[in-house]
């Protein structure tokens, strides 16, 4: 199934050598490498900073409830009179923090950056299938970011129904302050975001299927590309469902329909809504919501596969099993959404079905975890910052995944549903794991993006403090969750039952503040290295994939002259019979050499 790309129009790379203006090079660029940088700066860095700032304010409020705080007074203004946080803005912070981190940072930031950067470079293509669609995809994402930030500055405040925006809080404009214009802007922003995501995903799928270079069969693709490809497929299948839910919600809010509303009383007055069901919204939301976990996670796992193999100087263990596990995860992720709804009154038999499918997804996940560990086993480990973050991802993927076995069981879930146990689980398995994937990818491909190296020692400091603080924040949360502490309460001081958790909350907040501060080290390292970092050589990590055969200086069309042809799979590390411990994909097999049966 090897597609030949050397005959297609991208090969005529002289066409690209027209004079570029500042606007066509840096703003409305159609070059996949520049669009990747735009996603990185907008999605990962700017939205990431805002999202982390919100989480730190949430933590400070929980640790010191109803106490004046100069940070709140400065950042929240009228929402924190005399520095005491208002209850409504607390819910808004939880809502927008979740939305930004899940969608804008870890979906668009992660996939947008690395799919754009790596798909053409690793498959041997001049650019994406459609540079114009790629550009439109980024600018739709940018507009959705701007609208989401604008929602902070409307009079009644931003959306405050939780990042899952369940009705009726999200469907009734009069339900609470954040249900007004802020909620409308949230829905508009998400609709535009979904359009951006779909355009990007379709572009990635077409590029991988049609534009592979000569010799690049599907079983010679790096696991990064498999992960990005399958992620794009999941996105195309599941994001339209969320779009339909958002549109129906806009109908309920603005046009008097009753898709999600029925028998609502406000201050004793019966509203005219009849016949709808908020549980219908839950089904639509989680039909995207659970595949979304893997849309976030799979690219990070693909990045990890590449980095662990490169820095272990060993072939990835079980290449085909890794591909099969990616495909199995993609399929199973679409039939497990009901485990978010065990206490919504669903039929217990249906609950047992969702329990079965949920526990089934542990199998391909375990295949990936064991294969990473086996790749590391007896490898010649190069413990650079990218490798450390990749190993950290394997750690959080396992520890976060283990608690998923409890939450995936309908009988056990009832006790800890909507407590801090759930917060700890999904932050570890999805949030921290995916963030480690982002950091690993940035440290590893920074030389490819910017032609310079990041400072290794600052990278070590960044990793160790982040890793200790991440566990320091989320490990204790399991225990206060098992003690029954509900999430999303802006203070627990009214409940003597939870007085024992106060000290734990303080410890969690301290770890969170230190973990947040150390990201400044990363930002300093990143921006300083862009301008003053050590100049990178062409293949600094001695890696096999095609992106390291392209020149360090970026150019339209990626390679001068002919696109390299591929003769082997991407994991020929430490192969007997070769002088070096790596053999790039574009090196032909010598006489009598066997291609590894992976």
């Amino acid at each position: 199934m090897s597609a030949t790309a050397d005959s297609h129009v991208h090969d005529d790379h002289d066409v690209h050598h027209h004079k570029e203006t500042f606007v066509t090079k840096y703003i409305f660029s159609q070059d996949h490498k520049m669009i990747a940088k735009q996603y990185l700066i907008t999605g990962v860095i700017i939205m990431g900073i805002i999202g982390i700032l919100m989480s730190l304010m949430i933590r400070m409020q929980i640790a010191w409830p109803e106490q004046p705080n100069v940070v709140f007074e400065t950042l929240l203004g009228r929402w924190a009179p005399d520095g005491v946080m208002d209850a409504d803005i607390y819910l808004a912070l939880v809502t927008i923090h979740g939305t930004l981190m899940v969608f804008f940072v870890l979906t668009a930031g992660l996939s947008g950056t690395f799919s754009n950067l790596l798909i053409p470079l690793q498959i041997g293509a001049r650019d994406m299938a459609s540079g114009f669609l790629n550009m439109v995809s980024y600018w739709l994402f940018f507009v959705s970011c701007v609208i989401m930030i604008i929602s902070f500055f409307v009079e009644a405040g931003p959306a405050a129904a939780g990042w899952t925006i369940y009705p009726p809080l999200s469907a009734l404009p009069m339900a609470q302050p954040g249900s007004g214009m802020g909620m409308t802007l949230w829905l508009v922003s998400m609709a535009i975001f979904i359009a951006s995501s779909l355009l990007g995903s379709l572009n990635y799928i077409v590029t991988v299927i049609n534009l592979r270079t000569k010799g690049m069969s599907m079983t010679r693709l790096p696991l990064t590309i498999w992960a990005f490809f399958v992620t794009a497929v999941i996105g195309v299948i599941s994001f339209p469902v969320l779009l339909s839910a958002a549109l129906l919600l806009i109908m309920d809010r603005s046009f008097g329909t009753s898709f999600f509303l029925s028998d609502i009383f406000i201050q004793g007055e019966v509203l005219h809504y009849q016949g709808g069901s908020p549980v219908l919204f839950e089904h639509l939301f989680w039909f995207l919501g659970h595949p979304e976990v893997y849309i976030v996670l799979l690219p990070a796992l693909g990045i990890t596969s590449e980095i662990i193999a490169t820095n272990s100087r060993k072939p990835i263990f079980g290449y085909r099993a890794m591909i099969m596990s990616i495909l199995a995860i993609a399929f199973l992720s679409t039939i497990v959404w009901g485990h978010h709804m065990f206490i919504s009154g669903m039929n217990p038999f249906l609950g047992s079905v969702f329990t079965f499918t949920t526990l089934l997804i542990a199998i391909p996940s375990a295949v990936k975890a064991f294969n990473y560990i086996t790749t590391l086993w007896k490898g010649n480990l190069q413990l650079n910052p990218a490798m450390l973050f990749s190993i950290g991802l394997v750690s959080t993927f396992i520890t976060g995944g283990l608690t998923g076995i409890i939450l995936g069981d309908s009988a056990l879930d009832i006790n800890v549903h909507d407590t801090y146990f759930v917060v700890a689980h999904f932050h570890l398995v999805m949030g921290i794991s995916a963030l480690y994937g982002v950091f690993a990818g940035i440290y590893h491909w920074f030389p490819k993006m910017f032609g310079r190296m990041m400072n290794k020692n600052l990278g070590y400091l960044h990793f160790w403090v982040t890793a200790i603080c991440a566990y320091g924040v989320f490990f204790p949360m399991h225990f206060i969750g098992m003690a029954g502490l509900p999430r999303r309460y802006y203070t627990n001081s009214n409940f003597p039952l939870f007085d024992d958790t106060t000290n734990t909350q303080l410890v969690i907040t301290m770890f969170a503040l230190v973990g947040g501060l150390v990201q400044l080290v990363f930002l300093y390292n990143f921006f300083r290295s862009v301008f003053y970092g050590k100049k990178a050589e062409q293949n600094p990590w001695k890696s096999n994939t095609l992106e390291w055969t392209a020149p360090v200086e970026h150019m339209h069309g990626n390679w001068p002259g002919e696109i390299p042809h591929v003769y082997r799979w991407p994991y020929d590390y430490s192969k007997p019979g070769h002088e070096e411990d790596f053999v790039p994909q574009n090196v032909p097999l010598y006489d009598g050499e066997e291609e590894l049966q992976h």
Side-chain angles (χ1 to χ4, degrees), residues 500-543:
D500 293 347
T501 64
T502 313
N503 290 336
T504 314
Q505 295 282 27
L506 269 174
V507 170
I508 291 173
T509 297
M510 290 304 178
F511 275 119
L513 290 169
V514 174
L517 280 173
V518 84
Q519 304 317 310
L520 296 175
V521 173
F522 168 74
L523 290 174
Y524 169 77
N525 191 3
F526 182 89
F527 286 109
R528 192 181 182 286
S529 300
V530 168
F531 299 106
Y532 307 113
K534 195 177 96 191
K535 285 262 171 74
E537 53 192 86
Q538 188 171 346
N539 188 357
W541 314 119
K542 310 246 180 299
S543 194

Side-chain angles (χ1 to χ4, degrees), residues 353-556:
V353 173
F354 279 120
T355 298
F356 175 70
T357 55
T358 302
L359 297 183
L360 216 53
I361 211 167
I363 298 170
S365 305
V367 167
K368 295 193 85 62
F370 286 126
N371 282 4
Y372 290 137
I373 293 166
T374 322
T375 305
L376 291 165
W377 180 251
K378 294 195 172 175
N380 177 16
L381 303 184
Q382 318 290 309
L383 292 175
N384 49 45
M387 179 65 153
L388 288 175
F389 273 110
S390 296
I391 296 170
L393 184 151
V394 177
S395 166
T396 53
F397 184 56
I398 293 170
T399 48
L402 285 173
T403 52
I405 295 172
I406 295 164
L407 294 170
D409 187 306
S410 52
L412 297 174
D413 174 69
I414 292 167
N415 302 298
V416 286
H417 195 93
D418 251 338
T419 66
Y420 272 80
F421 193 88
V422 179
V423 178
H425 160 72
F426 77 77
H427 275 85
L428 273 181
V429 81
M430 180 170 93
I432 300 295
S433 296
L435 269 182
Y436 284 178
V438 172
F439 288 136
I442 290 172
Y443 282 109
H444 189 75
W445 281 289
F446 190 88
K448 192 74 249 164
M449 278 192 268
F450 298 102
R452 294 179 182 271
M453 305 294 283
M454 287 180 81
N455 182 306
K456 211 180 200 180
N457 291 331
L458 289 178
Y460 289 141
L461 174 69
H462 177 218
F463 169 74
W464 284 112
V465 180
T466 302
I468 292 165
C469 289
Y471 272 134
V473 169
F474 297 114
F475 198 72
M477 273 191 196
H478 292 95
F479 300 109
I480 56 177
M482 286 191 286
L485 187 65
R487 60 182 180 160
R488 295 183 182 169
Y489 284 22
Y490 88 113
T491 172
N492 300 299
S493 52
N494 296 335
F495 307 103
L497 173 68
F498 299 129
D499 286 348
D500 293 347
T501 64
T502 313
N503 290 336
T504 314
Q505 295 282 27
L506 269 174
V507 170
I508 291 173
T509 297
M510 290 304 178
F511 275 119
L513 290 169
V514 174
L517 280 173
V518 84
Q519 304 317 310
L520 296 175
V521 173
F522 168 74
L523 290 174
Y524 169 77
N525 191 3
F526 182 89
F527 286 109
R528 192 181 182 286
S529 300
V530 168
F531 299 106
Y532 307 113
K534 195 177 96 191
K535 285 262 171 74
E537 53 192 86
Q538 188 171 346
N539 188 357
W541 314 119
K542 310 246 180 299
S543 194
N544 289 343
T545 40
L546 288 183
E547 76 268 31
W548 304 108
T549 63
V552 177
E553 291 296 319
H554 284 185
M555 53 176 289
H556 263 310

